[in-house]
Amino acid sequence: MATRLKEVDVVIVGLGWTGGILAKELAEAGLKVVALERGGLRLPQSDFTVPQVRDEIRYVIRHDLMMDTQKDTLTIRNNVSQEALPMRRLGSFLPGDTVGGSGVHWSGHTWRWTDMEFKVRSRYEERYGKKYLPEDMTIQDWGITYDELEPYYEKFERVAAVSGKAGNLRGKIVPGGNPFEAPRANEYPLPPLTPLLAQEMFREAAAANGYHPFPRPSANASRPYTNPDGAKYGACQYCGHCQRFGCEANAKGSALISVIPIAMRNPNFELRTHAWATKVLKDPGAKRVTGVAYTNVLNGDEFEQPASIVLLCAYAINNVHLMLLSGIGEAYDPVTQKGVIGKNYCYQTGASATLFFEGKHFNPFMNAGGSSTTIDDFNANWQFDRSKHGYVGGFIVAGAFNTSLPIGYRPVPAGTPAWGTEWKAATAKWYDTAMQINMSGSVMANRYNYFDLDPTYRNAFGLPLMRMTFDYKPNEHRIGEHAAQVINDLAKSMKPTHLNPAVARTGPWTVVPYQSTHNTGGTIMGTDPRTSAVNKYLQSWDAHNLFVVGANVFPHNSTYNPTGPVGALAYWTADAIKNKYVKNPGLLV
Amino acid sequence: MKEDAFDRRAFLKSAVAGGAAAAAGTLPKSAEAQGTAPTKTPAQESPPPTYSFLNPDEAAFIEALVDHMVPADQYSPKGTDLGLNLYIDRALASGWGKGDRTYMQGPWRPGVPSQGYQLPLTPAALYRSGIAAANAACAKTYGRRFDKLDPAQREEFMQGMRSGKVVFEGGPPSRAFFATVYQNVMEGMFGDPMYGGNRGKAGWKMIGFPGVIAVHYQNVEKFRGKKYSVEPVSISDMS
Ligand SMILES: Cc1cc2nc3c(=O)[nH]c(=O)nc-3n(C[C@H](O)[C@H](O)[C@H](O)COP(=O)(O)OP(=O)(O)OC[C@H]3O[C@@H](n4cnc5c(N)ncnc54)[C@H](O)[C@@H]3O)c2cc1C
């Protein structure tokens, strides 16, 4: 029997980026907040110290900071005619499993998504006509605007110590930044990171080809910094161990060193670690939830935590899983296209070329998570005519290094043997003398890409695993083909000694190797309860005291990394709860 | 030489362990012809004291494989001198080898490649069955187990596992086995020496990876486009 605990104002499931932001904001607003976090607490001063933290086997290969598929995982299939099988080991995406969440071991690339995404259907229909959009492409407008989010983007960038260069200040194009970005009220809190040779070479080539290169904005502090809440960041050391590692220099934007310690000092806040939420409890009579059921994973004890407000902040895929397990809202059915929970799961696509330059030295072990010079000419640039290539969405291209450690990164020209002296000779020769150009491409929602509960497989709590049905569609293949061509043309213009060209992905999406932890959708936001799970304040249409926070609310996926809008929406939701909901509980729209 | 080349007992054992139940009846000619008891003394066969998972036959397989993949040359000492065999042994004896962080519940289905690893085997069990099946397959094709093959045969056999052309009768797919072994060899060669491999940081020296000290706030500009040569530093060097 679960022990029923004393009611609190707010219970938060998951204490990563979004949970941390909401915990701090709501505790400061005077609400009694409890956070349930399935993982433990690891602190930079004890757990991310040199030399132990510089361990590729522990953190990259054996996933020390990441979710444990022995306890919970998903089943995977590419289409509805396949039998889904469990993702038995981590691969394509690596969500976090400790206080701070994925935001402990992310890279920090921080973008502002624009109205091109938020008004995706109306913009494409207006420009290219209704017929341009394939029938099974279930993209829809988000019901929010860039102007509404702009101050919240700024807030998140300041909290997370984002280094970058504005390209559009209040409508004025500023040299050095991204000319295609939406207008910003203010500069980035920190200047850009120091560029690497690969970035400089890419910048020159991109400019010579008529593109508009700029330093990618990243939550890697380019110099020591104190954020507006008083959290202190050190300067990034370009240590080459960013993605998948905790930061020893406290230079990477993270809830663990910013919002979470501030919340923890507040007497209104209580953190319970090793507390695994299994269900959101519903009030059968009313359109509200009553709390959260959870298990202490250290001893198996079960609890019910009643609360006036429930916030799901457990990372995109886990939020959707909890909604399905709790039976809140109608589960989506791709055949009838009825229901909303599980709908519009999206991912991203990618490709890269490796350029070998005899005699150059790239020092692949010296870089920040955000060491990336990027072009946005095929994404945020709305002038770019997609109809020539026949797709919706786009891609960004970059010359970059990020965590190029030697087990995972050993470039050799195609055709090199996989072992033996010849392999060693090539590995030794090219490790320091190669660079990459990569792209990240958007994925538009499709009727048949979705989540539901698996009929067969169960997790360590005896609950059904969530089933992911996903594949790239012709739209994404076309993006990949165009992007590969752009990359290869750029690469050739740089005259490398050898080139391993970029190849567009045309085969099925696979669960290995790592691609990105940019899973989106499943409980999407919108203006109509028939086609969305939450409203613009991330409030459930089916339970007004339940807010579902994270990239799970994105109706489709952009080419950009997700955490800029994830963080901004967390602040936006915090304001809506503090200033509107608490005063007058009920649907805000 | 001929007698030395094939250990009948070990072969039969591996064949059965690999699930090839009919192996005893399909002994290759060369093996049958040889017939007599092995001439190796037990002392020669006893395991090096440092192995905690691999049995002597398995150790012989891994030693032969890592020395073939990483031969001694101007770039580095050979695989066993780098401790790659030891890295693998320790990994298999550790939580990782025993299936930590792996969802191990059935039902088990082969699935399609895009669904990733679907074998009902922990890494340790994959090695155990994979090595036995590989030795059985070698015996069938070459009349001797893997560690007794000559370099050209080893090369051919490894390429066959890599492409999946070699069939492990009743065992795990050769390709899945080899992919795991290959990945582990790379981990042993380029991971921190505290895990048993990369002895003397020879893997890092070979490519110029500086190891764990990485305070490059100034270096990133100072060494832009220039060679950065330092003696690599490992975790234990600093502990
Ligand atoms: C390797 C890597 C690189 C990345 N790089 C970038 C990047 O460069 N730019 C970018 O924008 N994004 C990046 N991301 C993604 C980014 O980390 C996430 O978008 C962000 O952390 C999401 O915040 P969140 O609060 O939704 O989830 P998280 O920060 O993951 O926090 C969720 C928390 O919920 C906990 N939890 C889950 N389930 C339960 C449960 N049932 N009960 C209790 N607690 C639970 C988890 O343990 C976790 O602590 C990267 C991610 C990874 C893994």
Side-chain angles (χ1 to χ4, degrees):
Chain A
M1 249 317 263
T3 306
R4 204 178 151 81
L5 303 167
K6 208 169 137 266
E7 172 151 8
V8 294
D9 295 326
V10 181
V11 61
I12 301 180
V13 177
L15 197 66
W17 256 131
T18 59
I21 288 170
L22 279 144
K24 171 185 170 290
E25 293 295 306
L26 299 184
E28 284 176 358
L31 298 169
K32 292 277 179 212
V33 180
V34 165
L36 307 173
E37 166 55 49
R38 67 179 175 185
L41 179 62
R42 298 205 204 175
L43 298 172
Q45 62 270 29
S46 47
D47 295 287
F48 305 149
T49 55
V50 171
Q52 273 76 18
V53 72
R54 303 274 161 78
D55 185 344
E56 187 181 6
I57 288 177
R58 175 174 174 183
Y59 291 102
V60 180
I61 304 294
R62 302 207 183 138
H63 303 136
D64 199 56
L65 291 167
M66 297 146 198
M67 72 181 250
D68 180 353
T69 51
Q70 206 165 37
K71 294 205 183 85
D72 191 38
T73 182
L74 302 107
T75 62
I76 304 281
R77 58 179 182 176
N78 288 124
N79 57 61
V80 291
S81 66
Q82 282 177 351
E83 181 181 7
L85 295 178
M87 174 174 85
R88 295 189 179 274
R89 293 172 176 162
L90 288 181
S92 188
F93 41 86
L94 303 170
D97 194 31
T98 58
V99 173
S102 316
V104 172
H105 61 270
W106 71 322
S107 302
H109 306 176
T110 306
W111 297 96
R112 293 181 170 204
W113 297 26
T114 68
D115 283 339
M116 200 182 80
E117 315 296 349
F118 304 149
K119 299 179 182 170
V120 64
R121 180 164 281 274
S122 37
R123 288 241 165 139
Y124 273 89
E125 285 186 353
E126 187 190 324
R127 169 139 186 213
Y128 297 103
K130 277 199 161 82
K131 284 216 194 82
Y132 187 72
L133 302 178
E135 210 166 314
D136 59 356
M137 187 183 279
T138 48
I139 51 172
Q140 61 190 51
D141 290 2
W142 296 34
I144 199 164
T145 65
Y146 176 81
D147 287 344
E148 285 174 304
L149 273 191
E150 202 281 336
Y152 298 93
Y153 277 131
E154 177 167 316
K155 175 116 187 150
F156 181 66
E157 287 164 358
R158 285 172 190 247
V159 165
V162 177
S163 301
K165 175 80 199 121
N168 181 341
L169 268 179
R170 295 176 284 273
K172 210 176 134 241
I173 302 303
V174 185
N178 178 5
F180 305 114
E181 73 176 348
R184 311 166 50 87
N186 292 297
E187 246 302 352
Y188 283 95
L190 286 150
L193 294 158
T194 305
L196 316 173
L197 174 64
Q199 290 176 261
E200 294 290 70
M201 287 169 59
F202 178 83
R203 182 177 56 73
E204 280 165 29
N209 281 274
Y211 303 135
H212 301 81
F214 60 92
R216 182 173 301 200
S218 299
N220 306 150
S222 55
R223 53 172 76 148
Y225 171 69
T226 303
N227 85 4
D229 300 322
K232 288 200 175 2
Y233 285 91
C236 174
Q237 298 301 318
Y238 303 83
C239 73
H241 295 67
C242 191
Q243 187 187 157
R244 309 189 197 190
F245 293 86
C247 181
E248 148 269 331
N250 284 340
K252 176 158 65 173
S254 162
L256 188 61
I257 58 164
S258 57
V259 284
I260 291 171
I262 297 173
M264 286 175 75
R265 285 196 293 272
N266 190 319
N268 288 335
F269 176 73
E270 183 193 336
L271 165 61
R272 293 186 202 141
T273 56
H274 305 286
W276 190 302
T278 50
K279 194 175 185 175
V280 181
L281 304 165
K282 278 195 297 189
D283 184 338
K287 285 209 140 208
R288 56 192 299 282
V289 293
T290 57
V292 173
Y294 73 93
T295 301
N296 176 346
V297 290
L298 299 180
N299 59 15
D301 288 351
E302 293 177 7
F303 299 92
E304 284 184 14
Q305 176 59 65
S308 314
I309 300 173
V310 174
L311 306 176
L312 296 186
C313 298
Y315 184 71
I317 52 182
N318 303 314
N319 286 344
V320 183
H321 193 199
L322 279 164
M323 292 292 278
L324 288 165
L325 288 174
S326 313
I328 298 164
E330 191 185 343
Y332 172 72
D333 178 343
V335 177
T336 61
Q337 289 191 274
K338 289 222 179 76
V340 288
I341 310 298
K343 181 179 152 179
N344 281 18
Y345 170 66
C346 291
Y347 198 45
Q348 278 173 339
T349 167
S352 70
T354 306
L355 292 72
F356 301 87
F357 291 96
E358 225 152 41
K360 292 230 189 279
H361 299 286
F362 290 101
N363 295 325
F365 39 81
M366 274 182 209
N367 52 70
S371 293
S372 170
T373 294
T374 303
I375 58 169
D376 210 353
D377 298 67
F378 301 102
N379 173 49
N381 175 16
W382 187 242
Q383 295 313 308
F384 158 57
D385 184 359
R386 271 87 171 162
S387 68
K388 277 196 243 152
H389 305 274
Y391 57 74
V392 176
F395 56 92
I396 48 177
V397 179
F401 274 100
N402 181 1
T403 314
S404 308
L405 296 171
I407 297 172
Y409 175 81
R410 280 170 283 103
V412 288
T416 303
W419 56 76
T421 293
E422 231 185 289
W423 163 74
K424 285 163 79 176
T427 304
K429 175 170 180 181
W430 297 112
Y431 175 67
D432 189 29
T433 53
M435 64 169 276
Q436 291 184 318
I437 301 180
N438 62 50
M439 77 89 172
S440 157
S442 61
V443 168
M444 293 299 124
N446 184 279
R447 174 177 175 179
Y448 293 105
N449 287 336
Y450 72 105
F451 291 120
D452 61 357
L453 291 177
D454 190 85
T456 308
Y457 294 94
R458 295 189 170 250
N459 69 12
F461 303 88
L463 302 167
L465 299 185
M466 188 159 70
R467 175 165 68 179
M468 174 188 281
T469 305
F470 177 76
D471 209 349
Y472 299 115
K473 304 297 174 192
N475 187 67
E476 285 71 51
H477 297 156
R478 287 195 284 270
I479 290 175
E481 275 153 21
H482 183 209
Q485 186 200 322
V486 168
I487 292 176
N488 293 336
D489 288 349
L490 260 173
K492 281 179 206 146
S493 79
M494 294 166 75
K495 304 204 163 43
T497 322
H498 294 287
L499 172 65
N500 290 353
V503 182
R505 285 200 73 141
T506 47
W509 171 71
T510 70
V511 74
V512 280
Y514 184 72
Q515 288 146 64
S516 81
T517 312
H518 302 164
N519 317 84
T520 65
T523 64
I524 64 176
M525 64 194 291
T527 52
D528 183 344
R530 282 169 307 181
T531 54
S532 57
V534 299
N535 63 29
K536 70 194 286 194
Y537 300 109
L538 318 195
Q539 180 184 38
S540 164
W541 292 113
D542 295 286
H544 64 73
N545 61 340
L546 173 65
F547 295 79
V548 194
V549 191
N552 43 283
V553 305
F554 296 3
H556 72 277
N557 208 342
S558 153
T559 85
Y560 289 158
N561 315 51
T563 312
V566 165
L569 283 167
Y571 277 113
W572 159 262
T573 300
D575 267 8
I577 294 173
K578 282 191 297 194
N579 304 333
K580 295 188 179 143
Y581 185 80
V582 170
K583 287 178 194 141
N584 190 8
L587 277 180
L588 295 172
V589 180
Chain B
M1 189 62 208
K2 187 125 200 259
E3 271 124 348
D4 214 9
F6 182 67
D7 178 337
R8 186 188 164 98
R9 244 182 359 191
F11 163 63
L12 287 175
K13 206 175 72 202
S14 337
V16 174
T26 57
L27 277 182
K29 279 215 171 61
S30 57
E32 278 185 331
Q34 130 182 262
T36 50
T39 55
K40 268 188 185 172
T41 65
Q44 280 171 298
E45 283 185 350
S46 69
T50 45
Y51 287 117
S52 57
F53 174 78
L54 298 171
N55 73 23
D57 291 350
E58 293 162 348
F61 178 95
I62 294 296
E63 287 170 9
L65 184 137
V66 301
D67 283 344
H68 184 87
M69 264 194 191
V70 183
D73 52 27
Q74 75 253 48
Y75 301 105
S76 83
K78 68 180 192 296
T80 46
D81 290 338
L82 290 176
L84 305 187
N85 47 330
L86 213 59
Y87 170 81
I88 289 173
D89 179 67
R90 287 190 188 173
L92 296 174
S94 76
W96 177 79
K98 301 300 182 260
D100 250 15
R101 294 180 164 271
T102 305
Y103 183 84
M104 288 299 289
Q105 296 175 44
W108 304 92
R109 311 248 189 271
V112 291
S114 63
Q115 291 171 310
Y117 188 83
Q118 294 295 339
L119 295 173
L121 299 172
T122 62
L126 177 64
Y127 267 79
R128 189 134 280 167
S129 58
I131 293 173
N135 274 332
C138 285
K140 208 166 161 181
T141 312
Y142 306 106
R144 62 193 80 186
R145 61 186 212 188
F146 179 76
D147 60 294
K148 310 290 188 200
L149 301 184
D150 66 39
Q153 291 170 325
R154 259 182 216 168
E155 178 68 21
E156 181 183 67
F157 188 71
M158 284 167 61
Q159 294 293 358
M161 289 195 286
R162 187 183 184 213
S163 67
K165 232 171 70 192
V166 165
V167 176
F168 286 177
E169 277 167 39
S174 63
R175 208 171 152 177
F177 167 68
F178 190 76
T180 302
V181 177
Y182 186 84
Q183 167 67 17
N184 291 157
V185 169
M186 296 302 136
E187 290 167 14
M189 180 137 176
F190 297 107
D192 195 273
M194 74 176 172
Y195 291 94
N198 193 8
R199 197 174 290 155
K201 295 161 277 182
W204 290 353
K205 284 177 187 160
M206 180 181 117
I207 59 174
F209 178 69
V212 303
I213 295 189
V215 184
H216 296 311
Y217 183 72
Q218 273 151 5
N219 293 343
V220 71
E221 186 144 13
K222 203 162 125 200
F223 286 92
R224 186 189 292 130
K226 298 199 185 94
K227 191 161 179 62
Y228 179 77
S229 314
V230 289
E231 182 65 22
V233 177
S234 70
I235 290 175
S236 44
D237 289 339
M238 276 185 79
S239 300

